[in-house]
Amino acid sequence: MSDTPVYLSREGQVATITLNRPEHYNALNGPWRKALTSALAEVEADPDIRVCIIGAEGKGFSAGQDLQDFDYDPISDLVLNEYEPLLKTIHHGNKIYIARTHGQAAGIGAALALTCDLVMMAEDAGVYLAFAAIALVPDGGLTWHLLNAMGRHRALSAIIEGKRLDSATCMSHGLANRVVPAE
C-alpha cells in the first residue's frame, strides 16, 4: 500500500477505496479529505464502476476527525465545506457504496461508514459515538442515521452517553447489514 492517505483500486465493475493512515487509526485530516473527495469523484465519473467498497488499513476503520489537524473556526465550516460534500457524494451517488468496517468507526468516521448504502462489519467492529467526550454533537448526518435506526430514545441515550455500539448491537438496530468473522 502506498503512502497516500486514500488508495483507489478497480477490479472490473468494483472500485475499492482504502483509508490509509493506519499509524493514526485512519483519523481524518485535510489531505485525507481532499484525497477521498478526489477518489469519490473518480468513482462517480467512471461509467464502468457500479459498486464502491470503502475500507481501511490498520487496526480500525477510522478514529474520526484528526484533532491534531483541527484549524477550523467555527467547526461548522469544516462540516459544511469539506465533510458534507463528500458524504453527499456517497449518499446521492450513482454507485452502490459498501462500508467494510473493522475495529472502531468513531465520530465522523462512523458517519462515513453509516452513510454508505450497505454496512458490512467484522465481529470486532463497532461504532463509537465519541462526540460527548469532546463536547460536540454528532455531525455528518450521524444523528439522522442513529435516529432512524434506533429510535429517538435509544439514539439520544447513545449520543449523550458517548456509547460504543458493538457489531451485534449495530446489526440488531439496523445500522449494519451483515456481521462477518474478523478475518
Side-chain angles (χ1 to χ4, degrees):
M1 194 70 45
S2 68
D3 62 353
T4 183
V6 173
Y7 181 74
L8 173 62
S9 62
R10 295 172 182 87
E11 186 173 323
Q13 296 180 321
V14 178
T16 301
I17 294 174
T18 304
L19 311 181
N20 188 33
R21 286 188 78 213
E23 68 282 2
H24 298 283
Y25 300 99
N26 296 306
L28 318 179
N29 64 9
W32 179 92
R33 290 186 300 273
K34 288 181 179 93
L36 181 57
T37 299
S38 176
L40 289 169
E42 281 187 55
V43 166
E44 284 296 315
D46 188 334
D48 294 329
I49 294 174
R50 298 179 55 88
V51 174
C52 181
I53 299 166
I54 301 177
E57 289 293 319
K59 294 180 181 181
F61 184 75
S62 175
Q65 170 62 37
D66 185 343
L67 297 178
Q68 303 303 312
D69 180 55
F70 198 72
D71 59 353
Y72 281 83
D73 187 31
I75 190 172
S76 60
D77 287 347
L78 173 63
V79 173
L80 293 175
N81 298 331
E82 297 202 29
Y83 285 122
E84 183 178 0
L86 70 88
L87 293 171
K88 278 187 172 181
T89 298
I90 294 168
H91 185 71
H92 298 297
N94 295 316
K95 315 300 179 183
I96 295 174
Y97 288 91
I98 302 171
R100 184 183 63 214
T101 65
H102 68 286
Q104 292 297 306
I108 195 74
L112 172 64
L114 296 180
T115 298
C116 291
D117 301 301
L118 300 170
V119 179
M120 310 300 284
M121 296 183 103
E123 289 172 328
D124 70 344
V127 170
Y128 176 35
L129 304 174
F131 299 94
I134 56 174
L136 294 174
V137 296
D139 54 20
L142 191 52
T143 303
W144 184 86
H145 291 295
L146 295 170
L147 174 67
N148 284 299
M150 300 173 72
R152 182 171 64 101
H153 296 110
R154 285 188 295 243
L156 179 60
S157 175
I159 291 166
I160 62 177
E161 294 173 18
K163 286 189 177 175
R164 292 178 190 265
L165 308 174
D166 63 22
S167 60
T169 301
C170 289
M171 184 72 181
S172 71
H173 289 303
L175 294 167
N177 296 89
R178 182 165 294 152
V179 175
V180 298
E183 60 278 351

